[in-house]
Amino acid sequence: YSDWGSYDFTASPVALRAFEKAKGYRMTSEDFVNGGLYNATHNVPSARYRDWMDFTHAFVVEFGKRCVDLVHRHGKKAYLFYDDHWIGTEPYGDRFAELGLDGIIKCVFNGFEARLCAGVRGVRTHELRLHPYLFPTGLKGEPTFSEGGNPTLDAKRFWVQIRRALLRAPVDRIGLGGFLHLVEPFPDFQEYMAGLAREFRMLKTFHEKGSPYVLPARVGVVTAWGRLRSWTCSGHLHEHPEVELTNVLESLAGLPVGVDFLSFDDIIARGVPDGIGVLINAGRLGSAWSGGRHWREPGLV
């Protein structure tokens, strides 16, 4: 699977020395591995690992802000393409807004990824990059815009899942990526995408007239990561084993309920927030998603 939120390969001698100076203690190899394996986002993070994440995030925000300012000085807008890896940027982190970005672009296959993009604060424009990408083959090598492919069917399948989420939370723009000439032999795809664009504009007008109806009780999704990993398990639905939780997120993405993402530390410190009517805890035994060592805390139980 792909893990887009792991910090296990961010270590360097320069960074380790800077961390020790900033935090007052030294990281070790075992802080970045888990029993000889990569310390993936699916593992419950230690306090030292979270310190390293915060340290890396601070560096990326400070350096990234200089890059964004440079873009702005040339009269251009700066966007974050929120895919493949987001170490340091952390769109749901506390300091993300300090980057001063104009927008965020998220490529999506389904509803919970659309909600992930729509919920990011600190940017003016939220854009979805739709699938199928305009590439000859798909992610798994299947024909898409090549002989034997059916890109229109793929687009329909993805859009049906995405649009239910857009009824709950709007985004500003949609787009496609890849090689535009590949669509020439597929006039049905061209026609379908034109209709999809019209439908997207209609969905936007619904939100201009007011917020969608929500049931009175909110849902709290409890993981080790809490708000930092809102609407994600660190990758696309097809790229990791947390099927239990991703299926839950996909369901919630289009339901008329408010959703809060809570960490076990949040609940241990302050209890369940007022207004939460349902708590959901799902995922493999021992993982960051189901809780692991957090359940040793009697107060949490």
Side-chain angles (χ1 to χ4, degrees):
Y1 63 89
S2 296
D3 185 356
W4 297 354
S6 64
Y7 285 67
D8 44 19
F9 54 85
T10 61
S12 71
V14 172
L16 288 166
R17 288 193 293 268
F19 175 88
E20 184 177 2
K21 183 177 180 180
K23 299 292 186 179
Y25 70 90
R26 181 179 299 181
M27 295 288 280
T28 70
S29 298
E30 294 306 309
D31 293 318
F32 296 98
V33 298
N34 178 44
L37 304 175
Y38 286 119
N39 195 8
T41 309
H42 304 300
N43 296 327
V44 177
S46 67
R48 294 166 71 97
Y49 190 83
R50 292 302 297 262
D51 276 353
W52 181 264
M53 291 177 61
D54 291 341
F55 164 78
T56 305
H57 186 45
F59 167 78
V60 173
V61 168
E62 291 165 11
F63 182 80
K65 180 65 166 62
R66 289 157 54 193
C67 298
V68 171
D69 289 345
L70 181 63
V71 172
H72 287 164
R73 283 202 300 272
H74 287 272
K76 306 295 184 181
K77 293 185 177 181
Y79 280 66
L80 173 68
F81 186 71
Y82 187 18
D83 265 305
D84 296 346
H85 218 298
W86 59 77
I87 50 172
T89 54
E90 298 292 354
Y92 283 85
D94 292 335
R95 297 188 60 184
F96 175 73
E98 295 177 31
L99 282 162
L101 290 158
D102 298 287
I104 189 166
I105 301 171
K106 177 79 180 78
C107 73
V108 293
F109 291 88
N110 48 42
F112 74 75
E113 293 174 334
R115 292 294 301 269
L116 188 157
C117 179
V120 172
R121 303 169 186 169
V123 294
R124 178 173 295 180
T125 304
H126 302 75
E127 178 177 331
L128 302 184
R129 185 70 53 83
L130 300 180
H131 281 81
Y133 257 59
L134 308 184
F135 291 162
T137 59
L139 293 175
K140 300 178 181 179
E142 70 278 13
T144 304
F145 290 96
S146 55
E147 186 176 356
N150 190 341
T152 304
L153 181 61
D154 291 343
K156 289 179 179 179
R157 185 173 70 251
F158 296 135
W159 181 241
V160 164
Q161 299 178 72
I162 293 166
R163 67 180 178 187
R164 61 188 291 272
L166 297 184
L167 284 166
R168 309 308 312 170
V171 298
D172 304 290
R173 302 196 309 209
I174 56 174
L176 291 165
F179 304 102
L180 192 58
H181 73 276
L182 292 176
V183 309
E184 291 179 11
F186 298 94
D188 57 328
F189 178 80
Q190 300 173 37
E191 183 178 351
Y192 179 73
M193 294 307 295
L196 184 156
R198 290 192 292 270
E199 189 172 352
F200 170 74
R201 296 185 187 102
M202 179 182 67
L203 296 180
K204 283 186 64 177
T205 65
F206 294 166
H207 291 281
E208 292 168 1
K209 298 175 181 177
S211 300
Y213 171 79
V214 292
L215 294 168
R218 298 184 65 83
V219 174
V221 178
V222 189
T223 70
W225 296 107
R227 186 177 178 275
L228 190 68
R229 296 286 179 260
S230 297
W231 296 110
T232 185
C233 288
S234 74
H236 290 303
L237 176 63
H238 59 269
E239 292 183 334
H240 52 78
E242 290 299 329
V243 176
E244 299 90 348
L245 182 55
T246 52
N247 285 340
V248 168
L249 296 179
E250 184 64 11
S251 179
L252 289 173
L255 292 177
V257 295
V259 183
D260 294 324
F261 290 86
L262 310 170
S263 72
F264 294 100
D265 291 335
D266 291 336
I267 294 178
I268 291 170
R270 294 179 287 277
V272 179
D274 293 339
I276 298 292
V278 177
L279 283 176
I280 294 177
N281 175 230
R284 290 176 300 140
L285 179 67
S287 70
W289 315 109
S290 64
R293 60 175 170 77
H294 288 287
W295 290 109
R296 300 174 191 165
E297 172 61 50
L300 176 65
V301 177

